[in-house]
Structure formats: C-alpha cells, structure tokens
Amino acid sequence: MDAGVDQTIFIQQGGKNRHDHICESLELFAVKVMPEFAEREAERERAKREELAPYVEAAMARKQVMAALAEGDIPVHEAYGNTVALTDEDIQKLPEGNRLRVLTFRRIREIAERAAKGK
C-alpha cells in the first residue's frame, strides 16, 4: 500500500510452464498471500479514495455529461471470451489453449471463494 500498488498481474503462460504448475502457484498465492491483503482491504480502499478524491472531483468537474440515449439507440453486443457462460460441453469444444484458460479462471474463482470462506 505504501508504494501505491494495489493490483498484481500474473503472466504464467509464457515459457514451458505446465498448466498444473500454474494452478499450483495460483493456489499457493491465494492461500498464503491473499489473506494478508484481504485483512487490510477496507482500510486500503478508504485511504485510496481519500487520496484520489481531489483528482476525481477535478476530473468530474471537467466531464461533459452526455444526453441520455433512447433504449433503441443503445448498441447491443454479444459477450465474448471468458465472460460467456460456457457449458462443460462448450468448453470441451474449445481449442486446447482456450479450454485450459477457461478452466484456469474457473479454478482461480473456486480458490478465491474457498479462501474467502476461510477453508
């Protein structure tokens, strides 16, 4: 928090990392590292909002509000990628890399939910 870092990006798909090793390292991170940060999350968010408040206020003062669109003028786009609710059958049809990516994201979500419940 003192350094201002509040997000981490994992790039584990490069090189010769095996899928099971990637999952193991993500699970280890979720179990050993994330709980410490979760304990301080509310305070970090409060401090961040407080520090950024003058900048957000200045930005919002410059913002030009767009007129509301009629319902028919709002474009609709079909979701794509990992945001699509895929069935297990759909996942099996994906190319190997995409299939593993979807399964990894599901595993990360399961790990994070389990860690949040303290299990």
Side-chain angles (χ1 to χ4, degrees), residues 23-83:
C23 290
E24 288 171 12
S25 67
L26 291 172
E27 185 160 1
L28 183 63
F29 182 83
V31 172
K32 297 289 185 180
V33 178
M34 285 177 62
E36 179 182 338
F37 289 93
E39 293 170 6
R40 301 185 312 228
E41 178 68 11
E43 173 57 23
R44 186 196 64 76
E45 280 293 326
R46 185 204 58 74
K48 182 178 177 181
R49 275 194 310 276
E50 186 178 290
E51 182 178 344
L52 294 177
Y55 305 104
V56 171
E57 185 177 338
M60 294 305 285
R62 292 190 309 267
K63 181 177 178 175
Q64 296 178 358
V65 178
M66 184 175 130
L69 294 175
E71 187 69 29
D73 293 337
I74 300 172
V76 176
H77 301 279
E78 186 173 338
Y80 181 74
N82 294 322
T83 60

Side-chain angles (χ1 to χ4, degrees), residues 82-111:
N82 294 322
T83 60
V84 177
L86 297 171
T87 66
D88 290 338
E89 183 179 328
D90 291 334
I91 292 171
Q92 295 307 315
K93 294 176 185 176
L94 292 172
E96 180 70 6
N98 293 355
R99 186 178 65 76
L100 292 175
R101 190 173 302 108
V102 169
L103 294 174
T104 299
F105 281 121
R106 283 187 175 184
R107 181 80 173 124
I108 291 169
R109 185 181 64 229
E110 291 168 4
I111 292 166

Side-chain angles (χ1 to χ4, degrees), residues 9-27:
I9 298 174
F10 292 104
I11 303 177
Q12 298 181 309
Q13 297 85 353
K16 296 184 179 185
N17 292 336
R18 290 187 8 211
H19 177 71
D20 53 325
H21 291 165
I22 292 170
C23 290
E24 288 171 12
S25 67
L26 291 172
E27 185 160 1

